[in-house]
Amino acid sequence: MESPIRIVPINAVDGGFLDRLALCLEERFLYSVRVERPLSVPRSALNNTRQQLFLATLTAKVLRAHPEPGGMLLAVTEYDLYKTSHRFIFGDADEGQGVAAVSLHRLRSEFYGETPDDNVLFQRALKETVHELGHALGLKHCFNARCAMYYSNSIFETDNKMSHFCETCDQRLSRTRN
Ligand SMILES: [Zn+2]
Ligand SMILES: [Zn+2]
């Protein structure tokens, strides 16, 4: 059977990091998760003045590379992402197309002038991927600041939330999956 969740690394993303992420996502969603081969997106795809990648450009490339229907695609990129009306985004998801994206750029401690910390990066990435996959499965934002579906506008809010859903969101999710 095909993997319902397929992680698509954009260019080089640490393999150990992605395998660990895949395991944690399997635990949380009880879906099989597979890491696909990296998809090459050259720096020339970035918006030249912003030095950021436009979300729609990324999702179009991911969908073009993986046109098979079914399951969910999760792009993980080092590029800083933005979309119309958002200066930057940690990630995004399109429920209809079954595609989600998470950027590691602003999850790294060094982005905030702090010492690089692999564990901090991993926890933040896990929270944001759980959040986006939650959207891809139909969940909306949650008002519980500890819930993974809480909308974080800043890294402090990401650090403050858990890498799993609150009871209400959990119940919503199991109802949609029955
Ligand atoms: Zn969200
Ligand atoms: Zn919640």
Side-chain angles (χ1 to χ4, degrees), residues 111-125:
F111 182 82
Y112 305 94
E114 289 159 13
T115 322
D117 187 323
D118 286 347
N119 219 35
V120 166
L121 174 66
F122 183 79
Q123 288 307 320
R124 289 171 174 172

Side-chain angles (χ1 to χ4, degrees), residues 41-61:
V41 177
R43 288 201 72 86
S44 59
L46 303 188
N47 176 305
N48 210 24
T49 37
R50 304 175 69 125
Q51 287 299 301
Q52 288 176 302
L53 183 59
F54 187 49
L55 173 75
T57 305
L58 176 63
T59 48
K61 284 180 188 291

Side-chain angles (χ1 to χ4, degrees), residues 86-131:
H86 285 73
R87 202 165 49 83
F88 75 89
I89 47 171
F90 290 127
D92 196 81
D94 186 319
E95 187 188 349
Q97 299 198 93
V99 64
V102 166
S103 163
L104 303 180
H105 190 81
R106 289 170 196 260
L107 303 182
R108 292 186 174 278
S109 305
E110 52 270 45
F111 182 82
Y112 305 94
E114 289 159 13
T115 322
D117 187 323
D118 286 347
N119 219 35
V120 166
L121 174 66
F122 183 79
Q123 288 307 320
R124 289 171 174 172
L126 180 59
K127 290 170 188 182
E128 293 306 321
T129 47
V130 166
H131 180 97

Side-chain angles (χ1 to χ4, degrees), residues 131-132 135 141 149 151:
H131 180 97
E132 299 311 340
H135 279 315
H141 285 151
M149 286 317 291
Y151 171 67

